[in-house]
Amino acid sequence: MNLNELKHAGLKKWVEEIAALTTPDAIVIADGSSAQYDALIEETVESGLSTRLNPEKKPGCVLFRSDPSDVARVEKRTYIASVKKEDAGPTNNWIDPTELKATMTDLYRGCMKGRTMYVIPFSMGPLGSPISKIGVEITDSAYVVCNMMIMTRVGTKVLDLLGTDGYYVPCLHSVGKPLAEGESDHGIWPCAPMEHKYISQFPETREIWSYGSGYGGNALLGKKCLALRIATVLARDEGWLAEHMLILKITNPKGESKYITAAFPSACGKTNLAMLIPTIPGWEVHTVGDDIAWMKFGKDGYLYAINPEAGFFGVAPGTSKDSNPNALIAASKNTIFTNVALTEDKDVWWEGIGYDAPGKLIDWHGNEWVQDKGNKEQPPAAHPNSRFTAPAKQAPSIAPEWEDPKGVPVSAILFGGRRPSTIPLVHMSRDWNHGVFLGSIVGSEVTAAALDVKAGTIRRDPFAMLPFCGYNMGDYFQHWINIGKNAPVPEHLPKIFYVNWFRKTSDGKWLWPGYGENSRVLKWVFECCAGTAKTVDTPIGIMPTVDAIDRPEGVTEEDMKQLLAVDVDGWLKEVADIRTNHYPKFGDKLPKELAAMLDVLESKLKAAK
Ligand code: GTP
Ligand code: SPV
Ligand code: MN
């Protein structure tokens, strides 16, 4: 299909304007067909940008490598360009939108010369569903087009829905100006130097402009930019929630099901929990989504969640037959791998895949790599943030209702992060506002999912939304409080929990085995929702009694006591940190309900000393 076939005059005009600015050699519209997907992949294979994997081991799969500087989201180069600085708030980078557009327009000028410009009409959420949002991404990266075709619903069906004047969110992307003439891209996608990268959201005009990076969250603009940063703004205005959450369905041995959503910061276990295989007999878990949830009240007063995505952009390292067999099967065909290692027989390998490297590998830099097991300092063969892009429907665990436009009614919301100490395995909030408090204080050890934040240090990541909230985080806290206040049926609000799979012993070992064993905690969550759980009231909230959660093999009674103890001194340090370093950032935007919760927590802890 070509430009003249575009029936939507506004869209055609926008595409023409961008083409005039960026001067591509050709314009191609993504029609969503598998023939076009195959042809695009073939082009990248032929130009040396990707490697086709062994069709017997990984049919329909390819491997891409990025520039070593373009392996994760770049939070320092991500902007919420609201008209007023205050509306971006204390946790977002801000530049005046007029100034930022001028800077970026200069960068975009002529940037697609020598390349094809692709126009990708896409839907976040099932096609035609009243909750879905339509976007159109313009990009000069075939890698982005192919990833978007897996992660979202793409093509002429979306254009049909748009008709001649339908609304879409314009999303402009370029990997950046090509290298100097004569220089090749060395089999990696091009990108701009750090100081030219911009991942910009314009909340008032609901536009997204991204320049200089080809990596997932920076370049697949339907995902973090639209389905979170822009969607949070829409959700605030329209009274719903756009969240960095997995959605799962848990079924007990009697066949009764409940739906749970969970917000953990990037690379803290959402994909794994969403696809978990319970270790407790008779229980089942099915996947509705692994990264983003949009939640709206239904007529019955329950919050209903939909997964706006159609694929998984999952962390590869640590994914094994033992930890997440569902993800391995989902990514066994028709999958795009990014920055993992390549074996001699053209299969993939990564750290934590569950077996030693089979012979000589090509690492994510494109260099030969031989495993040296004795050497703890050996750089990894796969980048720690290497990823697979796999169609959601390929996961054996996918719930039959995962595309239901109504969504699924949510009984419980979990918050969590990587906390080696203090935070217990699980506790439940006393009520909605206490749950909002728990979300607001989420902290986690930083992972490799973003550049420019020091891995290993703990930072506050409220609601796991620090990098994804499109407006003032203080107003976002208030929005969560308001959702509780305005709930049509308060007793149908989800219960809110705080979990931590990442406690460590003093010698650095995991205190809790995690993965499938997390089903034991989900069972307690299920029982809390059903009103049958064994609970005890503590200064920090409602907790399981020590015998309420069956112990997994290898976890002693002592371990369990430690996992479920209230570390009063640790929590008092937590309170002090929130009081001096975290909450003051929000100034008078901090909801008074949250300030009051902190006082209550402190006095309860002091009373328990
Ligand atoms: P994003 O896609 O970045 O939003 O991440 P995610 O939250 O989906 O994280 P994911 O499930 O991909 O997990 C990231 C890393 O955490 C992987 O290396 C996992 O192996 C590891 N992990 C997940 N669950 C557990 C767990 O229960 N215990 C431990 N120790 N590690 C876990
Ligand atoms: C995350 O970083 O939270 C991800 C990967 O889910 S990305 O799409 O790159 O944001
Ligand atoms: Mn994520």
Side-chain angles (χ1 to χ4, degrees), residues 244 267-272 291 317 387 418 502 510 514-515 518:
H244 191 204
C268 290
K270 289 183 299 301
T271 302
N272 278 269
D291 197 48
R387 301 251 167 184
R418 291 176 181 260
F502 298 95
W510 299 120
Y515 302 102
N518 294 334

Side-chain angles (χ1 to χ4, degrees), residues 260-539:
I260 300 176
T261 65
F264 309 149
S266 302
C268 290
K270 289 183 299 301
T271 302
N272 278 269
L273 194 71
M275 298 184 189
L276 155 160
I277 296 182
T279 49
I280 30 179
W283 289 72
E284 281 181 29
V285 164
H286 289 97
T287 313
V288 177
D290 84 325
D291 197 48
I292 298 176
W294 286 351
M295 294 186 284
K296 297 183 185 177
F297 284 114
K299 286 203 182 74
D300 55 8
Y302 285 99
L303 263 182
Y304 281 75
I306 71 152
N307 169 14
E309 301 190 279
F312 306 124
F313 184 61
V315 177
T319 308
S320 71
K321 263 207 184 95
D322 286 334
S323 68
N324 194 348
N326 283 312
L328 271 194
I329 297 170
S332 63
K333 56 183 182 184
N334 311 320
T335 293
I336 299 172
F337 292 92
T338 304
N339 287 336
V340 302
L342 181 70
T343 68
E344 277 173 312
D345 60 356
K346 299 255 188 305
D347 199 351
V348 290
W349 189 86
W350 49 76
E351 281 67 24
I353 198 170
Y355 50 86
D356 289 342
K360 219 169 18 187
L361 305 181
I362 305 293
D363 69 10
W364 72 275
H365 289 287
N367 299 328
E368 272 192 16
W369 189 96
V370 179
Q371 194 169 20
D372 179 4
K373 285 178 76 177
N375 177 6
K376 287 220 163 64
E377 309 289 300
Q378 185 180 29
H383 187 274
N385 192 41
S386 53
R387 301 251 167 184
F388 56 81
T389 318
K393 60 173 189 267
Q394 288 185 182
S397 60
I398 199 80
E401 64 275 47
W402 80 281
E403 294 189 280
D404 188 339
K406 270 203 328 294
V408 296
V410 178
S411 295
I413 296 174
L414 318 184
F415 294 111
R418 291 176 181 260
R419 294 297 303 265
S421 67
T422 312
I423 311 294
L425 182 61
V426 59
H427 64 295
M428 178 171 70
S429 74
R430 292 192 187 83
D431 55 27
W432 180 265
N433 282 356
H434 184 216
V436 177
F437 171 76
L438 296 183
S440 79
I441 65 166
V442 166
S444 187
E445 276 186 332
V446 167
T447 66
L451 293 177
D452 58 41
V453 269
K454 212 169 133 216
T457 53
I458 289 175
R459 72 163 178 181
R460 297 278 161 208
D461 188 346
F463 296 78
M465 285 290 279
L466 184 69
F468 308 122
C469 184
Y471 60 101
N472 190 309
M473 183 69 86
D475 290 333
Y476 168 90
F477 292 166
Q478 187 63 54
H479 179 59
W480 265 83
I481 299 274
N482 294 348
I483 287 281
K485 263 191 210 142
N486 302 332
V489 186
E491 52 280 23
H492 289 181
L493 277 171
K495 294 190 181 305
I496 303 181
F497 299 78
Y498 196 149
V499 299
N500 180 20
W501 321 137
F502 298 95
R503 283 291 287 272
K504 284 190 178 161
T505 60
S506 48
D507 51 355
K509 297 210 178 73
W510 299 120
L511 197 53
W512 177 254
Y515 302 102
E517 301 290 12
N518 294 334
S519 58
R520 296 171 195 276
V521 176
L522 295 184
K523 175 171 176 271
W524 185 75
V525 167
F526 185 111
E527 289 165 353
C528 286
C529 298
T532 59
K534 287 201 205 169
T535 63
V536 48
D537 198 12
T538 79

